[in-house]
Amino acid sequence: MIALMEYVRPDVMIYLLDMVGVVACAIAATTLAMHKQFDFFGCILVSMVNAIGGGTLRDVMLDRHPLFWMQDLNYLLVITVASLLCQMFFHKIGRIDNALKFFDAIGLAAFSVIGLTVALSFEAHPLIAVMMAVLTSIAGGIMRDMICNEIPMVLQKEIYISASIFGSALYLGLAHFAVIDWIKETVALISIFGVRMLAVKFDWHLPSIQLKKPSAN
Amino acid sequence: MIALMEYVRPDVMIYLLDMVGVVACAIAATTLAMHKQFDFFGCILVSMVNAIGGGTLRDVMLDRHPLFWMQDLNYLLVITVASLLCQMFFHKIGRIDNALKFFDAIGLAAFSVIGLTVALSFEAHPLIAVMMAVLTSIAGGIMRDMICNEIPMVLQKEIYISASIFGSALYLGLAHFAVIDWIKETVALISIFGVRMLAVKFDWHLPSIQLKKPSAN
Amino acid sequence: MIALMEYVRPDVMIYLLDMVGVVACAIAATTLAMHKQFDFFGCILVSMVNAIGGGTLRDVMLDRHPLFWMQDLNYLLVITVASLLCQMFFHKIGRIDNALKFFDAIGLAAFSVIGLTVALSFEAHPLIAVMMAVLTSIAGGIMRDMICNEIPMVLQKEIYISASIFGSALYLGLAHFAVIDWIKETVALISIFGVRMLAVKFDWHLPSIQLKKPSAN
């Protein structure tokens, strides 16, 4: 396994998973934008908000400049091409709904691990780092929903933030025992992806913590 | 009074009032989020947006890093606990509506004075400092309403921005006469809180400045 | 012409066009805000969001501090006065709808050229600079619509982003041939304004790139 990792470098792996997540965000955003009658550039712009909005918010909050997508133009190019193709083949998109959830879960895992490690590299407190993991993975989708006049689904009933927090906590736990980076990262990626996919498959939701009124008898 | 102030340091007093405001924001946000069927983490996230969103926007605009809540983790902890308790005892929240307006007015006063003094310490122009006082106190609530798909009430008909501007102007007026800090701050705090509570009690609204059409006769 | 330019300095010209755009934004925002029953300060705040929100986002993304409107208080003053007058004469605003589209197109052109040149002066990649031109000219309007709970019209069906991209591309093309600044800027300004006004006049929309389903026969 360690021999394998010499070939599959973990940072390259995370970069590729990140791009998978970016494509998933662009497709999800374009699909929603098409339903809202957005035009060609409107769809692309909302795709960018969804795919890089969370990371941008993280970078601005951490005062990390230039922003990640200004240093690496692949982000904007990948988003534009993904949105373009999605607009062209829009009437076939309905069929890939399950595939989209799969790729979206990959994005959730990659975005979370990137947000966490970026924040830790800026010497943020672990609690802040977990928050940055969550923001990196969900803020773009929330901004997309705000622009499209929808109430953000990720805040309502999906195991989404929870998966990100769970994997981030695992990462920090392993860091406590000085586990080397690629193992921490792989464990976090797999656990976030796994929890999210299980939640999709078995329709898991967070239970309400509201205490019930005593019944009136 | 001056002897008393040696014990009750004004910066400690403002910090405590700030935390009262943070709790009020967290409760207001959680209550709205529960009505919108947000889940556990959704409620906490919206509470954070409401309680620290305005100050975050101010810090980002002034290029003030690290952000205030990254330096002092009490903000995130207080918000999380307040939202947690609010979710547990949600069915009893209706009864505290008047108390909430009281604590919210304390928050408006504290957030405004903090926004004003932070901006002045960054050598912002007084006009910019007043704007930062307003942004610190209302931007979080506006962001909350945007996420929850509501039109922000504070922009519609409450004496809210006006109270913040009034107190900030008083502060700047006293600063003109070289009045010492804690007096300026106390006057601003009391005047903002007072104007806001009077507006709540007597249902004050700003008059429209729209000139009427001449009647057609 | 060159002799004329010694008197009409291009940077002064762009500044004046910028202010025309700021006034157009303030009037458009105040008109929408009045329809949404915003009060006096609510209208002014939404006007500020519309007029300087895009430039603020650009400056924050480029880490350009102090923000442009903190250095030049004319922005806030012009917005406040424009919103004030618009509120007073609100019942007459309906008659200036066509004039507003004219001034708004001037603003689109000025905001785009400013966004483009600011980004290039920060040594941004040309692709990023075009994106900053677009953001500077449309982000404020999108934020206004988000606050007012409307789906942003500029993302739906107007030739708006396209005009900004077209003029920015012309600017960059001319820059490739080392054309001097004021010619590049004038060409970009006129082309953006021209495309936008033609789109308004002839009701142009972007065609959809969606491939049609093969008909079922």
Side-chain angles (χ1 to χ4, degrees), chain A residues 36-39 88 91 149, chain C residues 125 149 152 155-156 211 213:
Chain A
K36 297 276 176 177
Q37 263 88 46
F38 283 18
D39 70 5
M88 288 174 68
H91 63 274
N149 222 350
Chain C
H125 186 279
N149 220 351
L155 299 178
Q156 282 184 316
L211 301 180
K213 280 186 201 182

Side-chain angles (χ1 to χ4, degrees), chain A:
Chain A
M1 184 70 184
I2 287 168
L4 180 70
M5 292 311 292
E6 278 169 21
Y7 298 97
V8 187
R9 286 175 45 213
D11 55 337
V12 173
M13 182 182 73
I14 289 179
Y15 185 72
L16 291 177
L17 296 177
D18 188 20
M19 284 297 164
V20 170
V22 163
V23 170
C25 285
I27 293 174
T30 301
T31 308
L32 177 59
M34 295 284 281
H35 281 297
K36 297 276 176 177
Q37 263 88 46
F38 283 18
D39 70 5
F40 177 66
F41 288 114
C43 288
I44 290 178
L45 198 118
V46 172
S47 298
M48 288 181 179
V49 167
N50 193 357
I52 60 177
T56 301
L57 184 62
R58 174 204 64 214
D59 281 3
V60 166
M61 282 182 168
L62 291 173
D63 198 23
R64 182 171 178 257
H65 293 277
L67 303 178
F68 70 100
W69 48 269
M70 292 188 182
Q71 292 178 298
D72 178 358
L73 291 177
N74 287 335
Y75 286 97
L76 298 189
L77 294 175
V78 165
I79 294 165
T80 304
V81 171
S83 176
L84 188 76
L85 291 174
C86 182
Q87 290 182 56
M88 288 174 68
F89 300 105
F90 178 58
H91 63 274
K92 293 180 178 166
I93 290 293
R95 301 179 199 169
I96 66 161
D97 203 43
N98 282 324
L100 193 57
K101 281 187 177 164
F102 178 84
F103 293 123
D104 180 68
I106 293 177
L108 173 65
F111 286 20
S112 296
V113 169
I114 292 171
L116 187 73
T117 52
V118 162
L120 291 175
S121 76
F122 268 62
E123 295 180 5
H125 186 280
L127 198 66
I128 302 291
V130 174
M131 198 175 158
M132 290 297 140
V134 172
L135 278 187
T136 305
S137 49
I138 68 160
I142 293 177
M143 291 180 207
R144 174 203 66 198
D145 287 344
M146 288 164 77
I147 292 177
C148 294
N149 222 350
E150 299 274 321
I151 293 186
M153 185 62 73
V154 294
L155 299 177
Q156 282 183 315
K157 53 179 182 178
E158 307 267 357
I159 299 282
Y160 210 91
I161 299 179
S162 349
S164 175
I165 292 177
F166 175 72
S168 302
L170 270 186
Y171 183 101
L172 292 171
L174 293 177
H176 201 67
F177 297 104
V179 173
I180 57 173
D181 278 355
W182 72 261
I183 294 183
K184 285 186 295 193
E185 285 163 8
T186 308
V187 168
L189 283 169
I190 292 174
S191 61
I192 296 171
F193 175 78
V195 169
R196 174 70 192 137
M197 286 312 290
L198 287 172
V200 168
K201 185 160 180 59
F202 297 108
D203 202 29
W204 285 349
H205 301 303
L206 281 187
S208 173
I209 62 166
Q210 183 176 351
L211 300 181
K212 294 296 167 211
K213 280 186 200 182
S215 55
N217 59 356

Side-chain angles (χ1 to χ4, degrees), chain A residues 38 145-150, chain B residues 149-151, chain C residues 32-33 35-36 141-156:
Chain A
F38 283 18
D145 287 344
M146 288 164 77
I147 292 177
C148 294
N149 222 350
E150 299 274 321
Chain B
N149 221 350
E150 299 274 321
I151 294 185
Chain C
L32 177 59
H35 281 295
K36 298 277 175 176
I142 293 177
M143 291 180 208
R144 173 204 66 199
D145 288 344
M146 288 164 77
I147 292 177
C148 294
N149 220 351
E150 298 274 320
I151 293 185
M153 186 61 74
V154 293
L155 299 178
Q156 282 184 316

Side-chain angles (χ1 to χ4, degrees), chain B residues 25-37:
Chain B
C25 285
I27 293 174
T30 300
T31 308
L32 177 58
M34 294 284 279
H35 281 296
K36 298 275 176 177
Q37 263 87 45

